[in-house]
């Protein structure tokens, strides 16, 4: 991992006069310019940052440096810090300590896993522990889900408007609550999907075109993570053309080459049986 050491580079014109030798208005302009150069040194878009976080304009450079030093102290490399700050400029004027303490002590995440969680979901660092992170953690654990570095991104989701609609949709299919919870534990990615744009079309295709059984969806909820147009439909049609059928897991989990080889093998087996 790269270290977080940094060095500011300014145009020579800025180094010609120290701030104390300049009028107050020019000092203010120089300090603001230094702040922009610092953001650029992190590969943070200054225009985007100032647009999304107007209070950044009056924030001293020393405060921005403190944010970087803190993020460095939790194991993030400087390039990662730059990506996080560019994605979430509000962090430049926020205190990341409460969310970090929450992740380490209440989730709890092993400290080596913290950088992965933060790079996957920078919004964790600007979310309220009391009104967002903690209530969502309680909800997820009530489902039986163990939150880890791959699922901490769910903590920034709204329970009522984002998470519960997915569960309610699955229950509307006739799947009882304990089974729905087990599906989520097997495939936490279910909670990141759109009901209307993802889950509903896939269920309709599975039940109507594939004439599938809900029991198979309960056993293999990862079905929802595969592309309907690019993988599910083409592979189902390839099987139908030859009069074959495979369990969802065997149909979808393999690469295209392995799937085609499996279809050829089934064709050969059917020839031998004649």
């Amino acid at each position: 991992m790269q270290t977080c050491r940094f060095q500011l580079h300014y145009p020579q014109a800025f180094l010609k006069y120290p701030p104390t030798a300049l009028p107050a208005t020019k000092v203010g302009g120089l300090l603001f310019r230094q702040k922009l150069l610092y953001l650029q040194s992190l590969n943070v878009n200054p225009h985007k940052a100032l647009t999304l976080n107007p209070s950044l304009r009056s924030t001293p450079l020393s405060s921005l440096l403190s944010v970087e030093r803190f993020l460095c102290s939790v194991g993030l490399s400087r390039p990662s810090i730059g990506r996080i700050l560019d994605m979430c400029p509000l962090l430049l004027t926020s205190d990341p300590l409460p969310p970090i303490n929450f992740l380490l002590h209440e989730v709890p995440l092993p400290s080596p896993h913290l950088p992965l969680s933060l790079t996957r979901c920078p919004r964790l660092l600007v979310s309220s522990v009391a009104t967002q992170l903690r209530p969502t953690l309680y909800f997820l654990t009530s489902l039986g889900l163990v939150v880890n570095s791959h699922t901490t991104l769910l903590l920034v989701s709204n329970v009522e408007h984002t998470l519960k609609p997915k569960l309610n949709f699955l229950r509307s299919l006739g799947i009882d609550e304990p089974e729905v919870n087990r599906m989520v534990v097997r495939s936490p990615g279910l909670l990141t999907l759109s009901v209307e744009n993802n889950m509903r079309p896939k269920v309709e295709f599975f039940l109507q075109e594939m004439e599938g059984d809900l029991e198979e969806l309960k056993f293999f909820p990862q079905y929802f993570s595969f592309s309907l147009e690019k993988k599910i439909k083409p592979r189902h049609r390839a099987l139908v053309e030859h009069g074959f059928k495979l369990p969802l897991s065997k149909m979808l989990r393999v690469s295209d080459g392995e799937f085609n080889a499996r279809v050829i093998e089934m064709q050969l087996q059917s020839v031998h049986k004649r």
Side-chain angles (χ1 to χ4, degrees):
M1 181 180 291
Q2 298 184 42
T3 63
C4 294
R5 294 180 182 178
F6 57 88
Q7 184 176 359
L8 299 181
H9 299 280
Y10 303 121
Q12 288 299 314
F14 282 13
L15 302 176
K16 187 175 181 181
Y17 302 104
T20 53
L22 297 172
T25 54
K26 288 192 176 181
V27 170
L30 174 61
L31 295 177
F32 184 72
R33 179 64 175 163
Q34 288 177 344
K35 191 158 49 179
L36 298 183
L37 288 171
Y38 168 69
L39 293 176
Q40 289 174 341
S41 77
L42 280 168
N43 290 321
V44 175
N45 183 322
H47 177 73
K48 172 185 171 184
L50 288 165
T51 300
L52 296 177
N53 187 0
S55 62
L56 179 61
R57 189 172 294 275
S58 59
T59 302
L61 179 59
S62 59
S63 295
L64 307 186
L65 295 172
S66 295
V67 171
E68 182 187 347
R69 280 193 292 268
F70 179 79
L71 295 178
C72 176
S73 73
V74 300
L76 288 163
S77 67
R78 193 161 199 257
S80 294
I81 292 171
R83 286 192 293 273
I84 287 171
L85 294 175
D86 189 61
M87 292 172 64
C88 196
L90 288 176
L91 179 57
L92 287 160
T93 56
S94 302
D95 180 7
L97 183 58
I100 292 291
N101 281 337
F102 169 81
L103 291 170
L104 289 176
H105 304 299
E106 293 191 44
V107 170
L109 281 182
S111 56
H113 296 181
L114 187 61
L116 176 61
S117 288
L118 300 180
T119 52
R120 284 171 62 89
C121 185
R123 282 178 56 199
L124 288 164
L125 290 166
V126 292
S127 297
S128 166
V129 172
T131 62
Q132 175 60 51
L133 300 180
R134 188 175 291 125
T136 308
L137 176 65
Y138 291 162
F139 176 75
L140 294 173
T141 54
S142 74
L143 302 177
L145 186 65
V146 176
V147 177
N148 56 37
S149 58
H150 295 285
T151 54
T152 44
L153 78 168
L154 294 172
L155 293 171
V156 302
S157 301
N158 183 283
V159 171
E160 295 299 326
H161 299 112
T162 303
L163 300 180
K164 284 187 176 180
K166 278 85 167 177
L167 305 179
N168 293 337
F169 172 72
L170 292 172
R171 291 179 192 135
S172 74
L173 301 176
I175 305 174
D176 62 31
E177 184 173 338
E179 287 285 1
V180 167
N181 293 352
R182 282 192 282 272
M183 290 174 71
V184 168
V185 170
R186 288 194 194 102
S187 184
L190 282 173
L191 296 176
T192 67
L193 304 176
S194 163
V195 170
E196 296 305 321
N197 297 329
N198 189 306
M199 300 176 76
R200 191 183 303 280
K202 288 177 182 176
V203 165
E204 290 175 353
F205 184 79
F206 176 72
L207 295 177
Q208 296 169 15
E209 297 294 325
M210 299 178 68
E211 299 180 347
D213 189 321
L214 280 177
E215 289 300 318
E216 195 169 7
L217 279 186
K218 295 177 189 178
F219 177 76
F220 189 66
Q222 295 88 343
Y223 165 81
F224 290 99
S225 65
F226 293 94
S227 169
L228 181 60
E229 298 299 328
K230 294 181 179 179
K231 184 160 285 190
I232 297 172
K233 286 184 178 181
R235 292 194 176 184
H236 170 66
R237 286 167 182 160
L239 291 172
V240 169
E241 283 177 13
H242 298 94
F244 301 144
K245 190 167 184 177
L246 283 172
L248 286 178
S249 58
K250 291 185 177 180
M251 182 180 94
L252 297 172
R253 269 184 168 160
V254 297
S255 67
D256 288 341
E258 290 172 305
F259 175 77
N260 292 332
R262 186 166 289 174
V263 171
I264 292 171
E265 183 182 349
M266 292 168 73
Q267 285 179 288
L268 293 173
Q269 290 176 349
S270 67
V271 169
H272 292 320
K273 289 179 181 178
R274 291 175 185 173

